[in-house]
Each structure stands twice: as C-alpha cells, then as structure tokens.
C-alpha cells in the first residue's frame, strides 16, 4: 500500500506537461469583396454597392505575420474569392492595402477568421467611404481629405449661425459647416457621426460636404474648458491648437472695445480678463448685429461660453448663445 502511495505522489509532482492535443486538417474559405455604399453590411447593387476585383488577401498565422503556404488569393472581377486547404484554427486575414481602390477604405485589417475541419467558411470584405477617426486625427490630414468622425454636439445646428454646428470628442473640437444637419432634431448633448471633407475658411478649420451617418440622443452634457482671453488670442496660429473648435469659457472678461468700433467688424468686440485682449464674435444666430451695442457695455465684465475660432490667424471666441449659461454680466472685482 505504501509503495502505491509513493508512486502516485511522485506522479503528482512531475513537472513535465503533456504536449497539447494537435489536430491536423484543413477547411476552405470563400467570400465577396464589395464597396458598401450604404454601410449596412449587405451587398445590394441597387443600393449603390459594387463588387471589388483584384483585392489581394493573405491568410496568416495569427499574430505572426507569416502567410500559410498557398494562403494568398485575389478577388475576381465579380468580387468573389475562394481558398481550399486552409489550415484549421483561428487566423489573420490580411488585406493588401496597395490593392484597395482609391476612395475605398477597409476599416478592419486584418480580419480574424476561424477555419473548421472539412467545412467552408464565408468571410466578406466590406470597403467603405472612410473609417472612423478622432477629430484631432482629422485635423492633421490634408485639406479635402474625406473623413469619418464622431463627437458630442456642443452647439446645435444654426444656434451660432446658419449651417453651423460644433462637435467635440475626447481629442478636439471642430466646426461643422453644412446645412445637411439642419432640421434633423440634433441637439446639444447628442452624439453624431458624420462623413465629410476637411476644409478651412481664412484659417478656421471646418468639416464640409457633410452627411449624417448616425445620431444617438442625450449621450453627454458638454462641459466647457476654462481659458483666459490671452490663451484665446494666442490660439489662432494653427487649427490643431487645443482651443480651436473647442467649447470654452472665460470669466470676468471686460468689454474693452465696443462691437464695430475702430477697425473691428460690426459683429466683433474686444474683451480682456486681465491676461490680454482677444476678439469676441457674435454671429447672427445669437443676436442681431445691429443691436450688439445695446446688449453689451464697454467697461462691464461678463462670463462668456462659446467656441475657439480664428480669422486669418487671429484667435477669437464665438459666443454660443445669449442664454444665462453662455453670457452673464458679473462684477469686475
């Protein structure tokens, strides 16, 4: 009995691990490569979708970058492809980006596929107009680049001025200059996803030629970034500056030059919180330009909320509204 126990104890302490069970075999893979114009995941030529031929595909051992023998294929003119004798298991399906047509984006690359013994798996490849990126990444791209971004609405369409909406994500804020968002019920705090192109007017960044891709109501309450008037004034050199397009707030800013006075535009005044002066602009969606001299008094101080912007490199704040949260007269002391 004691001998049997000793043998069992020795076996339990054996540090050698048995090799994993290895299953050898193959399956097959097929699929369709297409441009998904409506981005619904369904190939439908009547919806503007089209097959993509000549797209290069490689099946690789997951995480290694090593392509299996015989694991490359190109889609045919009808967009279809097939591979026989693919090793079973979960692999990376890598798209050759050099074979992706201009104007088409493959947003997930590589794709993960699972091949089962003796079975044929189907994995389609969807090309899209663009892939979701951050607003900061979009600002780094060339003017005219098509982008897809998502952000919280910080100013609803037309609130600041006609065809103007402001959005912000965790990386940056930006102006959306388009009438395409008007009349869709978009409100502050909603999350929208848009496709559009990078643009600029006198150095002020904006998304133009916009289409709405998705709308999720009441996602977050935008909170402004507290800044000084001097910081606003110094932010206009580049639209990648964190203040540009962002929802911002200045406090105890004195109106030091009346709207339209001197060389100022009739919709521009000058404010200073003691750090240095900057321009405040009030557009038509906020107040009648001819009434601004009656609404604001030189020598009085205000808390303002709005958006960082610039004109020809001069930093400005665009007032969001005349509501108490955005424009409040306060003591200068």
């Amino acid at each position: 009995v004691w001998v049997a126990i000793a043998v069992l104890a020795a076996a339990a302490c054996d540090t050698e691990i048995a090799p994993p069970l290895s299953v050898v075999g193959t399956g097959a893979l097929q699929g369709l490569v297409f441009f998904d114009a409506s981005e619904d995941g369904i190939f439908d030529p009547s919806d503007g979708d089209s097959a993509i031929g000549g797209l290069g595909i490689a099946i690789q051992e997951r995480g290694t970058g090593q392509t299996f023998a015989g694991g490359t294929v190109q889609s045919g003119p009808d967009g279809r492809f097939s591979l026989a004798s693919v090793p079973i298991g979960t692999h990376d399906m890598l798209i050759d980006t050099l074979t992706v047509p201009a104007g088409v984006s493959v947003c997930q690359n590589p794709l993960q596929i699972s091949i089962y013994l003796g079975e044929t798996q189907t994995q389609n490849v969807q090309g899209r107009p663009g892939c979701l990126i951050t607003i900061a990444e979009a600002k780094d791209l060339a003017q005219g680049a098509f982008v897809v971004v998502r952000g919280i609405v910080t100013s609803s369409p037309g609130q600041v001025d006609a065809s103007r909406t402001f959005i912000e994500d965790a990386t940056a804020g930006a102006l959306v200059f388009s009438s395409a968002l008007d009349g869709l019920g978009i409100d502050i705090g909603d999350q929208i996803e848009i496709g559009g192109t990078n643009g600029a007017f006198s150095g002020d960044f904006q998304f133009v030629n916009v289409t709405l891709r998705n709308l999720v109501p009441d996602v977050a309450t935008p909170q402004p970034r507290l800044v000084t008037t001097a910081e606003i004034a110094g932010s206009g050199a580049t639209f990648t500056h964190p203040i540009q397009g962002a929802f911002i707030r200045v406090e105890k800013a004195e109106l030091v030059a009346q709207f339209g006075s001197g060389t100022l535009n009739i919709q521009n005044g000058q404010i200073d919180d003691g750090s240095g002066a900057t321009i405040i602009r009030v557009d038509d969606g906020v107040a009648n330009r001819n009434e601004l001299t009656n609404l604001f008094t030189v020598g009085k101080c205000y808390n303002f909320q709005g958006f960082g912007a610039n004109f020809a490199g001069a930093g400005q704040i665009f007032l969001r509204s005349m509501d108490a949260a955005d424009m409040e007269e306060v003591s200068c002391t």
Side-chain angles (χ1 to χ4, degrees):
V1 174
W2 286 109
V3 172
I5 292 174
V7 170
L8 288 172
C13 294
D14 189 355
T15 58
E16 292 187 11
I17 301 174
L21 180 63
S22 178
V23 180
V24 178
T26 63
L29 175 67
Q30 65 180 12
L32 169 68
V33 183
F34 68 99
F35 178 69
D36 189 6
S38 59
E39 302 188 52
D40 59 2
I42 302 171
F43 179 59
D44 182 2
S46 68
D47 210 16
D49 299 346
S50 58
I52 299 176
L55 191 82
I57 295 170
I59 309 304
Q60 299 182 337
E61 185 177 357
R62 185 171 51 171
T64 69
Q66 299 298 312
T67 301
F68 291 111
T72 60
V73 68
Q74 278 197 338
S75 59
D78 61 354
R80 301 196 177 276
F81 66 92
S82 63
L83 278 170
S85 302
V86 181
I88 62 174
T90 301
H91 313 306
D92 289 334
M93 179 174 164
L94 184 71
I95 309 304
D96 181 358
T97 56
L98 296 178
T99 64
V100 178
V104 177
S105 298
V106 177
C107 298
Q108 186 178 348
N109 190 23
L111 296 162
Q112 280 198 349
I113 58 166
S114 293
I115 303 297
Y116 301 98
L117 185 63
E119 297 183 14
T120 299
Q121 303 303 313
T122 298
Q123 176 63 64
N124 293 337
V125 179
Q126 297 167 242
R128 298 186 173 187
C131 304
L132 182 66
I133 60 175
T134 67
I135 295 175
E137 288 171 329
K139 287 185 173 185
D140 281 332
L141 298 178
Q143 296 300 295
F146 179 83
V147 297
V148 177
V149 297
R150 180 186 297 157
I152 301 298
V153 176
T154 50
S155 174
S156 56
Q159 183 179 20
V160 171
D161 204 359
S163 303
R164 291 173 183 254
T165 307
F166 283 87
I167 62 173
E168 192 163 338
D169 66 10
T171 68
L175 165 65
V176 181
F177 184 66
S178 173
S179 61
L181 303 183
D182 296 349
L184 300 180
I186 297 171
D187 205 352
I188 293 172
D190 294 348
Q191 177 183 274
I192 62 172
E193 183 176 300
I194 60 170
T197 55
N198 284 357
F201 176 74
S202 293
D204 195 29
F205 180 87
Q206 50 194 236
F207 294 118
V208 296
N209 305 318
V210 167
T211 58
L212 179 66
R213 295 160 57 97
N214 192 40
L215 166 63
V216 182
D218 299 323
V219 170
T221 301
Q223 298 298 322
R225 176 198 305 253
L226 183 62
V227 298
T228 67
T229 51
E231 288 174 323
I232 297 171
S235 71
T238 170
F239 49 63
T240 59
H241 192 286
I243 287 179
Q244 289 296 304
F247 183 36
I248 58 176
R249 176 181 176 89
V250 292
E251 295 183 345
K252 292 187 176 181
E254 179 185 353
L255 184 68
V256 294
Q258 186 57 270
F259 289 83
S261 64
T263 60
L264 292 174
N265 181 284
I266 191 173
Q267 292 179 281
N268 293 351
Q270 194 173 58
I271 57 175
D272 190 346
D273 63 1
S275 65
T278 193
I279 298 297
I280 182 169
R281 181 171 179 86
V282 179
D283 271 330
D284 292 332
V286 177
N288 186 319
R289 66 181 67 187
N290 297 318
E291 297 177 352
L292 293 178
T293 54
N294 298 324
L295 297 174
F296 302 94
T297 303
V298 171
K300 290 190 174 181
C301 294
Y302 305 86
N303 294 338
F304 292 117
Q305 290 186 162
F307 305 96
N310 82 78
F311 184 81
Q316 304 179 356
I317 177 173
F318 277 40
L319 185 63
R320 184 171 71 170
S321 76
M322 292 293 291
D323 294 344
D326 294 332
M327 195 288 291
E328 176 190 18
E329 184 180 336
V330 294
S331 170
C332 292
T333 58

